[in-house]
């Protein structure tokens, strides 16, 4: 955490919080500094046609920044969700921006011009005001991720504080690699939704310690559901994303069906399984990059 | 307490009547190999399993075992057909939602559902034709996992057939509105509507099949639905392996005009 950085520090020690950055700043911090170019930026005026009809002020980028540029010198595209606009929710326009970017990257990959895709996921899931168009475009994003993965690694980074939920948590599951911070959470149903649907005895959404012990970044990496734990440090996030993006494509977690099926079946009868017991059952070799020095 | 026959099971039993059941799956995942349009087809459905060890996934929800079970059934077909004719895959969709539970989250229900998405998408991209038939709920993440990767979506025109991101009651609670208020808003905002006819207006459906009793279809109605499935299979081009029909179809150009516009302009700006 960077709470203590109130006084100026020498540049070499200074750490820049990634979590506090806007989506635009995050995307820019990830790519090589030279040659960045936003596509369908705020001046293109593509905003949600649905929010104003329901009395909600739209945003000129609809909460997604798509930045073209380079990663370690190679052609790349970053799609970054803005958690501060409508909770990073997926509407028609912002979803289509992500889908279109991935589809064009796929087209280039198929033509022998690899483009490295990176997704910065900060989202509560489908935007309720655009419900079915949000859900539909998530299916299209998923299809593109699965197709792209055969050509290049698809890297997801989940920094927080919103985390990654709903249909977009499935997108994270489809990616080749997931980079996550301790502050971030990755889950399908948000704690509030579970409490509401299943009762407070199922999950007390206000119990932050419990919630993070179940679906927080540290637990996700310890149980093999994410690949690398990073500090809230822009340089560290970039270094880790770069390492994965420039590596060889590997079999995605979501394609390793027999291994994961067996893991679930082995624990199906254990109704009182604790997060700690799960770690012991699923402990995976920690990646050197994710470990604290 | 006896479990009423779910629509998923009713339609699976009708369509896969002469098909050979695939074993090794949880009781909530039905898969069988039959024929459609004279070619091989694997039918898949998710149904309630009151005896599931996962209490939150006993009523037809897509939970951990269902996501991974679907993925296993699909991956098996992918493997077996690698060097030959790719069988068609037919998802019979009646899913009320994903399983909402503490244990589900901890054990990675998002990955289980992603695995089913992955398997459907990988099969389609490998040349399997995938069709989804909506006979009941097609809700949220459960629909993403089971059906939404199909090249063609067909639905029975019936009040019990609903596509949505969140159940009506839950949406009313979350937005602090009465059901009547929610219905009024949904009626004026097509993407928020719970009516299948409004969903069809978005341009995502290939066909809305009317005049069929979704709960107790006659033999003739089952035959009509089967004919619609055959028509949908034939409509899929031999090289068509993506979902582009959902934004290139004439109806989608109106119902999803902004989606079409975003893709057009992003392509213009992609390379300078």
């Amino acid at each position: 955490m960077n709470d203590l950085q109130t006084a100026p520090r020498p540049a070499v020690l200074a750490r820049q919080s990634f979590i506090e950055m806007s989506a635009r700043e995050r995307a820019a911090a990830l790519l090589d500094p030279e040659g960045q170019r936003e596509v369908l930026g705020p001046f293109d005026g593509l905003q949600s046609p649905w929010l104003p009809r329901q009395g909600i002020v739209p945003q000129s980028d609809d909460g997604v920044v798509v930045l073209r540029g380079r990663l370690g010198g190679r052609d790349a595209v970053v799609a970054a969700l803005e958690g501060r606009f409508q909770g990073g929710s997926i509407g028609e326009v912002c979803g289509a921006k992500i889908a279109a970017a991935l589809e064009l990257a796929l087209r280039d990959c198929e033509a022998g011009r690899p483009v490295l895709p990176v997704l910065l996921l900060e989202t509560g899931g489908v935007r309720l005001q655009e419900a079915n168009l949000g859900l539909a475009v998530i299916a299209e994003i998923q299809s593109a991720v699965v197709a792209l993965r055969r050509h290049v690694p698809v890297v997801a980074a989940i920094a927080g504080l919103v985390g990654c939920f709903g249909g977009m948590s499935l997108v994270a599951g489809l990616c080749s690699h997931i980079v996550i911070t301790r502050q971030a959470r990755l889950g399908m149903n948000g704690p509030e939704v579970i409490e509401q649907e299943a009762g407070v005895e199922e999950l007390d959404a206000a119990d932050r310690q419990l919630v993070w012990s179940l679906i927080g970044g540290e637990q996700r990496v310890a149980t093999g559901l994410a690949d690398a734990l990073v500090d809230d440090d822009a340089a560290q996030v970039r270094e880790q994303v770069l390492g994965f993006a420039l590596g060889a494509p590997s079999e995605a977690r979501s394609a390793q069906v027999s291994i994961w099926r067996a893991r679930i079946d082995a624990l199906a009868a254990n109704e009182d399984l604790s997060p700690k017991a799960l770690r012991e059952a699923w402990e995976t070799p920690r990646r050197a990059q994710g470990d604290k020095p | 307490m006896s479990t009423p026959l779910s629509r998923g099971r009713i339609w699976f039993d009708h369509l896969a009547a002469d098909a050979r059941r695939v074993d090794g799956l949880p009781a909530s995942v039905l898969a069988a190999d039959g024929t459609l349009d004279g070619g091989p087809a694997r039918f898949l459905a998710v149904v309630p399993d009151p005896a599931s060890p996962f209490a939150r996934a006993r009523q037809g929800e897509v939970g951990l075992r269902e996501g991974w079970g679907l993925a296993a059934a699909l991956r098996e077909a992918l493997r077996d057909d690698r060097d030959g004719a790719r069988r068609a895959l037919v998802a019979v969709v009646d899913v009320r939602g994903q399983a909402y539970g503490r244990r589900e989250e901890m054990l990675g229900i998002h990955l289980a559902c992603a695995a089913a998405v992955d398997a459907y998408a990988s099969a389609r991209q490998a040349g399997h034709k995938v069709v989804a038939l909506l006979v009941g709920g097609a809700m949220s993440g459960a629909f993403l996992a089971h059906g939404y990767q199909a090249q063609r979506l067909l639905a029975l025109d019936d009040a019990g057939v609903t596509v949505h991101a969140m159940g009506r009651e839950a949406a009313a609670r979350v937005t602090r509105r009465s059901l009547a208020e929610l219905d009024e808003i949904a009626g004026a905002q097509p993407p928020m509507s719970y009516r299948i006819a409004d969903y069809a207006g978005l341009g995502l459906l290939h066909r809305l099949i009317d005049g069929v009793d979704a709960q107790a279809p006659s033999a003739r109605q089952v035959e009509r639905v089967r004919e619609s499935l055959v028509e949908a299979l034939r409509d899929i081009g031999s090289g068509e392996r993506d979902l582009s029909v959902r934004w290139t179809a004439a109806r989608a150009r109106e119902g999803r005009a902004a989606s079409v516009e975003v893709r057009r302009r992003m392509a213009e700006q992609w390379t300078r």
Side-chain angles (χ1 to χ4, degrees), chain A residues 117 119 145-156 170-179 224-228 244-245 247-256 287, chain B residues 118:
Chain A
L119 300 174
V145 169
V146 173
L148 264 170
R149 246 175 28 199
R150 281 192 289 277
H151 300 277
V152 286
V154 182
V155 183
L170 278 57
V171 172
L174 294 168
C175 287
S176 316
H177 306 282
I178 301 174
V179 177
L225 286 160
D227 300 283
F244 285 141
S250 54
E251 192 182 33
R253 206 178 267 108
S254 54
Q256 298 173 7
R287 286 164 197 275
Chain B
D118 192 333

Side-chain angles (χ1 to χ4, degrees), chain B residues 176-196:
Chain B
R176 294 189 182 84
R177 289 175 172 129
S178 70
L179 282 175
E181 284 170 328
L182 188 75
D183 287 343
E184 198 188 316
I185 295 167
Q189 308 286 340
M192 283 186 78
S193 173
Y194 288 84
R195 294 177 57 236
I196 193 68

Side-chain angles (χ1 to χ4, degrees), chain A residues 136-219:
Chain A
V137 76
I138 289 176
E140 291 156 16
I141 291 168
Q142 293 171 337
S143 179
V145 169
V146 173
L148 264 170
R149 246 175 28 199
R150 281 192 289 277
H151 300 277
V152 286
V154 182
V155 183
I158 310 169
L161 294 171
V162 175
C164 178
F165 293 97
M168 294 303 281
S169 71
L170 278 57
V171 172
L174 294 168
C175 287
S176 316
H177 306 282
I178 301 174
V179 177
I180 194 165
T181 69
R182 268 179 198 80
Q183 290 86 339
R185 296 166 299 166
L186 168 61
M188 188 165 188
N189 304 298
E192 292 78 12
V193 181
I194 293 175
E195 184 182 310
Q196 186 179 285
E197 296 294 304
V200 70
E201 58 286 349
E202 178 73 21
L203 181 65
D204 180 358
D207 186 341
R208 293 173 61 87
Q209 199 181 345
L210 172 66
V211 168
W212 260 261
S213 76
L214 293 166
I215 63 170
E218 195 169 358
Q219 173 77 359

Side-chain angles (χ1 to χ4, degrees), chain A residues 37 40 44 92 103 108 132 139-140 143 149-150 169 188-189 197 202 220 254 260-261 268 270, chain B residues 24 98-103 105-106 118 124-125 149 163 170 173 191 256 259 263 265 269-270 272:
Chain A
R37 179 170 65 90
L40 291 193
D44 288 294
E92 179 181 13
E103 288 155 9
D108 284 358
N132 269 332
E140 291 156 16
S143 179
R149 246 175 28 199
R150 281 192 289 277
S169 71
M188 188 165 188
N189 304 298
E197 296 294 304
E202 178 73 21
R220 288 317 201 188
S254 54
W260 283 96
R261 247 192 119 193
N270 190 342
Chain B
Q98 61 268 24
Y100 292 91
R102 181 183 52 83
R103 217 156 51 113
E105 291 306 322
M106 183 169 66
D118 192 333
R124 169 171 45 75
Q125 290 163 9
Q149 287 300 317
V163 182
R173 278 196 299 274
R256 308 179 68 195
S259 311
R263 283 185 164 93
R265 292 178 59 182
Q269 294 185 17
W270 186 251
R272 224 171 353 193

Side-chain angles (χ1 to χ4, degrees), chain B:
Chain B
M1 203 176 74
S2 70
T3 319
L5 275 185
S6 73
R7 286 185 177 187
R9 185 179 287 279
I10 292 168
W11 281 96
F12 177 87
D13 285 346
H14 280 303
L15 294 170
D18 303 320
R20 189 174 45 82
R21 275 290 290 276
V22 176
D23 41 81
L25 298 172
S28 51
V29 177
L30 308 182
D33 287 315
T35 57
L36 196 59
D37 200 15
R42 177 164 285 194
F43 296 86
L44 302 116
V46 175
V47 298
D49 172 17
S52 171
F54 290 96
R56 296 273 157 212
R58 288 178 181 159
Q59 299 179 45
E61 299 91 347
V62 176
L64 292 157
R65 300 205 317 161
E66 292 71 29
W68 288 113
L70 283 168
L74 291 158
R75 293 272 171 199
E76 185 192 71
L78 250 169
R79 250 191 329 271
D80 291 352
D81 295 351
R82 192 159 36 203
D83 302 318
R86 265 72 160 169
R87 80 193 79 177
L89 300 167
V90 181
V92 178
V93 180
D94 173 26
V95 283
R96 52 187 288 142
Q98 61 268 24
Y100 292 91
R102 181 183 52 83
R103 217 156 51 113
E104 275 76 11
E105 291 306 322
M106 183 169 66
L107 295 172
I109 184 178
H110 71 283
L111 183 63
C113 289
V117 172
D118 192 333
Y120 270 116
S122 296
R124 169 171 45 75
Q125 290 163 9
H128 291 264
K129 292 183 176 181
V130 187
V131 175
L133 174 68
L134 280 53
V135 300
M139 298 301 288
S140 193
F143 184 32
L144 291 175
H146 180 54
Y148 231 164
Q149 287 300 317
Q151 282 126 317
R152 295 292 183 278
L153 305 171
L154 294 85
L156 302 184
D157 190 2
D158 177 273
V161 177
T162 292
V163 182
H164 215 278
M166 190 180 260
R168 217 166 131 257
E169 284 78 13
R173 278 196 299 274
V174 166
T175 57
R176 294 189 182 84
R177 289 175 172 129
S178 70
L179 282 175
E181 284 170 328
L182 188 75
D183 287 343
E184 198 188 316
I185 295 167
Q189 308 286 340
M192 283 186 78
S193 173
Y194 288 84
R195 294 177 57 236
I196 193 68
D198 290 333
Y199 180 77
L202 300 176
L204 293 155
L205 264 190
H206 174 66
R207 174 173 290 195
L208 194 55
I209 308 168
D210 62 7
V212 173
D213 184 337
Q215 199 70 41
S218 68
R220 212 167 142 241
Q221 289 170 346
V222 171
E223 208 35 56
R224 270 187 55 221
V225 169
R226 191 185 293 276
E227 283 163 13
S228 295
L229 290 172
V230 168
E231 184 278 325
L233 275 189
R234 290 179 181 172
D235 193 57
I236 300 170
S238 58
E240 182 189 336
R241 296 185 177 188
D242 61 18
L243 302 176
S244 57
V245 70
R246 294 191 196 161
W247 59 89
T248 54
R251 218 166 181 188
R253 289 175 184 281
E254 288 180 31
R256 308 179 68 195
S259 311
V260 176
E261 177 74 355
V262 166
R263 283 185 164 93
R264 186 182 68 77
R265 292 178 59 182
M266 175 99 46
E268 280 175 6
Q269 294 185 17
W270 186 251
T271 38
R272 224 171 353 193

